[in-house]
Amino acid sequence: MKKKLIAGNWKMNGSLAANEALVRALVAGMGQPACDVAVAVPAPYLAQVAGIAAGSALALAAQDVSVHEMGAYTGETSAAMLKEFGVRYVLVGHSERRSLYGDTDAVVASKFAAALRVGLTPVLCVGETLAEREAGITGAVVTRQLDAVLATAG
């Protein structure tokens, strides 16, 4: 059986000083946990957090990944780049990426596959909007989201 994962997503928060204090406190307090523990930090802080957490049980997660391996995609970060920085996990399909940035089920599935191709562990985020919940279609929405990933990365 695989270990369970506890991951904290920092969203678009942090600073060099705050990151240092938080990661050092996490590392000092966690010892050798019975589950995997990761922090999903904003991309500019990946190298800093990787350095502070080095040698500890705290794993690094990215908050998003590009569907592209390389090229003229300003602002995107490839799975290979994330792997190079010691990232182990990557969030795909977060509700904010879906609602604010238009990540469709197909895009999420492509991101999931991109992560797998380089050996990252994608953390698939699924869920409904408030309107979908109120319409009673949560199960159908989540099934659709899962089916898209399974069809692409399956």
Side-chain angles (χ1 to χ4, degrees):
M1 185 171 164
K2 291 186 178 188
K3 277 187 174 181
K4 298 201 182 318
L5 170 66
I6 296 174
N9 180 10
W10 291 8
K11 310 275 185 158
M12 194 175 71
N13 295 297
S15 69
L16 293 173
N19 299 347
E20 177 140 3
L22 179 57
V23 174
R24 289 199 186 286
L26 284 170
V27 168
M30 68 187 284
Q32 290 301 318
C35 62
D36 289 336
V37 179
V39 288
V41 303
Y45 298 128
L46 288 171
Q48 178 203 19
V49 172
I52 298 167
S56 77
L58 183 64
L60 193 58
Q63 296 176 337
D64 193 28
V65 63
S66 178
V67 300
H68 305 287
E69 292 181 20
M70 63 175 49
Y73 303 102
T74 302
E76 292 288 290
T77 307
S78 75
M81 291 173 177
L82 296 174
K83 181 98 173 171
E84 229 177 358
F85 274 89
V87 169
R88 183 170 168 197
Y89 301 97
V90 61
L91 305 181
V92 294
H94 194 283
S95 62
E96 293 157 3
R97 296 293 316 171
R98 291 177 189 265
S99 66
L100 299 176
Y101 300 99
D103 282 10
T104 63
D105 294 340
V107 167
V108 171
S110 294
K111 288 180 176 189
F112 192 97
L116 287 177
R117 277 194 298 276
V118 302
L120 296 177
T121 300
V123 177
L124 178 62
C125 304
V126 297
E128 78 285 9
T129 64
L130 176 59
E132 291 165 335
R133 181 180 321 129
E134 289 174 346
I137 60 171
T138 298
V141 170
V142 171
T143 298
R144 185 197 75 226
Q145 292 169 347
L146 288 170
D147 285 348
V149 170
L150 292 172
T152 302

